[in-house]
C-alpha cells in the first residue's frame, strides 16, 4: 500500500480546531474541505492538488475529535505523515481510509515541494527529491486492511456487517464526518 506525491510540510502541535475551523463545521464536506489549514496557512487549499501528501511534526491532530481526515480525503490528499500523531487523530485517519505513517524527523527529511514515497506495506519511506530514505515499523494487518478497504465503515460492509448496497455510500466523506459526530 504505497502513496507518492508532492509534500507539504507543517510544524508541531497542529490541532484539529486550527485545521478545521468552527465556521466550516456547518458546511457540506466539499465546501468545508476548502477551509483546511485556514488559520495556519491561508490559501493552502487553493494550492494543494489531488495526490499530495501532508507531512507534520509532533502531536499532529491534537485537540478535539473534529473529523479532519475525511476532509483531507475530500481534497484528494494521498496520505498523512507525521513525526507523531495524536492517537485519536490517527485513528480518525484510519477510519476514513486515509493512509497515515509515523516517520521520526519527517519535518527534517522533507521540505515543501519535495516528492515523497511511503509504503505502509513494509514501512519504507523515501524522499525522491533528495534521496533520503528509511523505514519504520509496519502497521498491524488489521489497520492496513481498514485503510485498504477505504475506511472502517466500508470494511464493515465488505464483511457483511452492514448491507452491501450501502458500500459506496459508506465511502463518502459526508458519512465519515457524520459518523465522527460533527454534524
Amino acid at each position: 500500500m504505497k502513496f507518492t506525491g508532492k509534500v507539504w510540510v507543517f510544524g508541531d502541535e497542529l490541532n484539529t480546531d486550527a485545521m478545521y475551523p468552527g465556521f466550516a463545521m456547518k458546511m457540506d464536506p466539499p465546501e468545508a474541505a476548502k477551509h483546511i489549514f485556514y488559520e495556519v496557512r491561508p490559501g493552502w487549499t487553493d494550492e494543494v492538488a489531488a495526490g499530495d501528501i501532508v507531512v507534520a511534526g509532533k502531536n499532529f491532530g491534537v485537540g478535539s475529535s473534529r473529523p479532519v481526515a475525511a476532509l483531507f480525503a475530500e481534497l484528494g490528499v494521498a496520505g498523512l505523515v507525521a513525526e507523531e500523531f495524536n492517537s485519536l487523530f490517527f485513528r480518525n485517519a484510519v477510519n476514513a481510509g486515509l493512509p497515515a505513517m509515523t516517520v521520526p524527523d519527517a519535518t527534517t527529511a522533507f521540505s515543501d515541494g519535495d516528492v515523497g514515497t511511503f509504503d505502509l506495506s513494509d514501512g519504507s519511506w523515501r524522499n525522491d527529491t533528495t534521496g533520503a530514505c528509511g523505514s519504520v515499523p509496519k502497521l498491524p494487518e488489521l489497520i492496513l486492511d481498514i485503510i485498504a478497504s477505504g475506511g472502517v465503515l466500508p470494511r464493515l460492509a465488505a464483511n457483511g456487517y452492514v448491507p452491501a448496497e450501502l458500500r459506496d455510500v459508506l465511502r463518502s466523506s459526508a458519512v465519515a464526518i457524520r459518523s465522527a459526530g460533527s454534524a
Side-chain angles (χ1 to χ4, degrees), residues 30-175:
E31 185 63 27
K34 296 176 185 175
H35 300 285
I36 292 179
F37 292 134
Y38 172 83
E39 295 177 20
V40 178
R41 195 180 288 183
W44 178 75
T45 57
D46 296 329
E47 299 176 39
V48 69
D52 287 356
I53 298 167
V54 173
V55 172
K58 292 180 173 65
N59 213 9
F60 185 50
V62 66
S64 71
S65 61
R66 293 182 184 184
V68 181
L71 296 181
F72 282 124
E74 182 73 35
L75 287 175
V77 168
L80 306 174
V81 175
E83 293 175 3
E84 174 188 275
F85 286 94
N86 171 276
S87 60
L88 180 59
F89 182 82
F90 179 82
R91 191 54 203 229
N92 281 338
V94 169
N95 289 350
L98 186 62
M101 179 185 267
T102 302
V103 175
D105 302 317
T107 59
T108 303
F110 293 91
S111 298
D112 274 348
D114 287 350
V115 174
T117 298
F118 304 87
D119 191 339
L120 297 180
S121 300
D122 65 9
S124 65
W125 62 268
R126 177 177 171 78
N127 182 326
D128 298 326
T129 303
T130 68
C133 60
S135 64
V136 296
K138 181 182 161 192
L139 292 171
E141 288 300 322
L142 176 60
I143 299 296
L144 295 174
D145 186 40
I146 292 169
I147 294 169
S149 298
V152 71
L153 294 175
R155 183 175 187 278
L156 290 172
N159 287 301
Y161 292 103
V162 294
E165 59 270 14
L166 295 178
R167 197 168 299 155
D168 290 337
V169 172
L170 294 176
R171 290 182 186 273
S172 78
S173 58
V175 169

